Amino acid sequence: MALQAALLPSTLSVPKKGNLATVVKDTAFLSVSQKKVSSLSVRAQVATAPVATPGSSTSSVDKKKTLRQGVVVITGASSGLGLAAAKALAETGKWHVVMACRDFLKAAKAAKSAGMAEGSYTILHLDLASLDSVRQFVDNFRRAGMPLDALVCNAAIYRPTARTPTFTADGYEMSVGVNHLGHFLLSRLLLDDLKKSDYPSRRLVILGSITGNTNTLAGNVPPKAGLGDLRGLAGGLSGPNSNGSAMIDGAEEFDGAKAYKDSKICNMLTMQELHRRFHEDTGITFASLYPGCIATTGLFREHIPLFRMLFPPFQKFVTKGFVSEAESGKRLAQVVSDPSLTKSGVYWSWNKDSASFENQLSQEASDPEKARKLWEISEKLVGLA
């Protein structure tokens, strides 16, 4: 939603070291004084709190330069794991969180409801189902004048009962289009910003899932993930109406649960390919993780009611694998900021004592040749090749 024209011309820009008052769905920005912030009227939405661009600071007493506040972008930060991680990082006072979300108003309400302090976050519109929206987000972020020190690709769509595909604005099957292709383009475009950062530990984190990792019990629950020879992806995931397939492996029948699991294999393969291509030259840490079974998350909102009712107690009392949103958020925050988790190319997990460890990926989710092929096809689909 755009700011009312009477209050804000659409061509204003933010000075590089200025303060970003609010960013909405169009490209309008506003520079705001640190001493006084006027209330803004937003058509059909609410403005986020004004924030100062993080930077190095110097003590007036000892004149010593101190580490500036880091800036982290988190996709899907308006609910679930993304919101919990945003809150955990913001509460440290060491991080400013850019909440990259599709629904501006939902994100603003979520941040307020979670108790995130004014000035600890900025909301930017991002719809991963549109590659144009991804490019617009990157442009808006750069115009805001903030550095980028960490990127968290967290947002996901899960439609386990779907038997017919839906498609993104670019014509790709929705689960893979959002979970993989949208994040792939976002990561590639923002990689330049991470390279420019002077922060001591720059990180790019992509959420994985145990369900896409077939060397686990959960990963063997039907339908099992599997990318095959990627013929469906190479064909554009266009679906049967275009004489193609909406499934990555080229299967004729669509399965929403498998589409999600396949997208998570893509996420884990992408992380490893980023590591192989860029870690040595840039020093950026690339990582993936499975934070545990967040059985109460909104990710399951499209599952059948009986599953939603029984799954949380099953995880709590039978498998003992249940993890709260708050705990999972802290784990994701660790991968973003913990000095002990700087190793690149790692898929992180946690044991029953909430201690992190390097987990092992399945053969397919760690196949370097498949990762290379996935990379090359994805580049073509998002317009980078």
Side-chain angles (χ1 to χ4, degrees), residues 264-317:
K264 301 316 289 183
I265 295 182
C266 291
N267 288 155
M268 294 181 282
L269 287 172
T270 297
M271 177 275 291
Q272 293 167 87
E273 191 66 9
L274 282 164
H275 166 74
R276 280 189 285 269
R277 289 174 181 252
F278 300 109
H279 172 67
E280 185 174 348
D281 291 337
T282 67
I284 297 171
T285 293
F286 300 97
S288 186
L289 72 148
Y290 171 63
C293 184
I294 319 167
T296 55
T297 180
L299 183 66
F300 298 112
R301 60 184 173 273
E302 295 191 35
H303 219 305
I304 61 174
L306 183 62
F307 177 90
R308 296 199 305 270
M309 181 179 70
L310 296 179
F311 192 53
F314 178 77
Q315 291 296 330
K316 286 181 180 179
F317 306 116

Side-chain angles (χ1 to χ4, degrees), residues 102 126-134 155-159 165-186 232-233 236-238 245-248 254 256 259-260 262-264 266-267 374 378 381-382:
R102 181 180 57 183
L126 170 64
D127 184 354
L128 289 162
S130 166
L131 298 179
D132 282 344
S133 178
V134 173
I157 286 180
Y158 178 43
R159 294 176 172 168
T166 54
F167 299 93
T168 68
D170 304 280
Y172 304 132
E173 188 279 317
M174 187 67 72
S175 296
V176 177
V178 169
N179 303 354
H180 168 57
L181 292 174
H183 279 135
F184 180 84
L185 178 60
L186 182 69
L233 185 67
L237 296 174
S238 54
S245 173
M247 300 298 293
I248 291 180
F254 179 76
Y260 169 80
D262 289 350
S263 74
K264 301 316 289 183
C266 291
N267 288 155
L374 172 69
S378 300
L381 295 180
V382 302

